[in-house]
């Protein structure tokens, strides 16, 4: 089973936690406190999800995660406020999702990042 670390400002009320909790992934949730995160030293997950407090800059936490010994080389999915989506292409992340997402969209993005979909099983569209 593939594992996901979720770093959230509100772990108990996290929309991402609800989306992933009953899925096919092992989820470990850690709280972001005072714009800082704690990650245990151990086996790295296959994906990190960063869910910061609304209207909070994500860049400092992205830098901290990318410099971390355990999660620094793991694909990163960021939950962004809608008004910050224009900066998403400049962030050091593998994918992003807008706050207010549906559970279906969250799982689709996670599946894509973790390679859960077999590319050979996707039908090809041919033209001409």
């Amino acid at each position: 089973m593939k594992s996901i670390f979720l770093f959230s400002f509100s772990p108990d009320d996290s929309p991402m936690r609800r989306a992933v909790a009953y899925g096919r992934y092992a989820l470990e949730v850690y709280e972001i406190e005072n714009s800082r995160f704690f990650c245990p030293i151990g086996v790295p997950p296959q994906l990190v999800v960063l869910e910061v407090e609304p209207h909070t800059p994500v860049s400092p936490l992205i830098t901290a995660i990318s410099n971390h010994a355990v999660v620094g080389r793991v694909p990163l999915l960021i939950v962004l406020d809608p008004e910050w989506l224009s900066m998403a292409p400049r962030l050091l992340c593998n994918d992003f999702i807008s706050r207010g997402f549906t559970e279906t969209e969250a799982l689709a993005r996670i599946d894509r990042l973790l390679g859960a979909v077999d590319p050979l099983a996707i039908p090809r569209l041919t033209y001409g």
Side-chain angles (χ1 to χ4, degrees), residues 34-88:
N34 301 321
S35 296
R36 300 180 71 134
F37 77 100
F38 166 77
C39 179
I41 300 297
V43 177
Q46 281 77 40
L47 177 66
V48 170
V49 178
L50 178 59
E51 184 179 49
V52 299
E53 190 169 9
H55 313 294
T56 302
V58 295
S59 295
L61 281 167
I62 292 172
T63 300
I65 286 173
S66 66
N67 291 328
H68 194 274
V70 174
V71 295
R73 290 174 174 68
V74 175
L76 176 62
L77 172 66
I78 301 174
V79 179
L80 289 175
D81 293 316
E83 64 267 18
W84 290 23
L85 291 177
S86 63
M87 69 180 277

Side-chain angles (χ1 to χ4, degrees), residues 9-47:
F9 73 98
S10 180
D12 295 331
D13 194 34
S14 165
M16 187 61 74
R17 182 180 194 165
R18 285 191 301 274
V20 180
Y22 303 106
R24 58 189 159 276
Y25 301 111
L27 180 67
E28 293 185 35
V29 182
Y30 301 98
E31 187 170 8
I32 298 171
E33 295 183 47
N34 301 321
S35 296
R36 300 180 71 134
F37 77 100
F38 166 77
C39 179
I41 300 297
V43 177
Q46 281 77 40
L47 177 66

Side-chain angles (χ1 to χ4, degrees), residues 2 24-25 104 107-123:
K2 294 185 178 183
R24 58 189 159 276
Y25 301 111
T104 305
L107 288 174
R109 290 181 182 269
I110 290 168
D111 286 347
R112 188 185 66 77
L113 285 168
L114 293 177
V117 178
D118 180 5
L120 298 177
I122 298 173

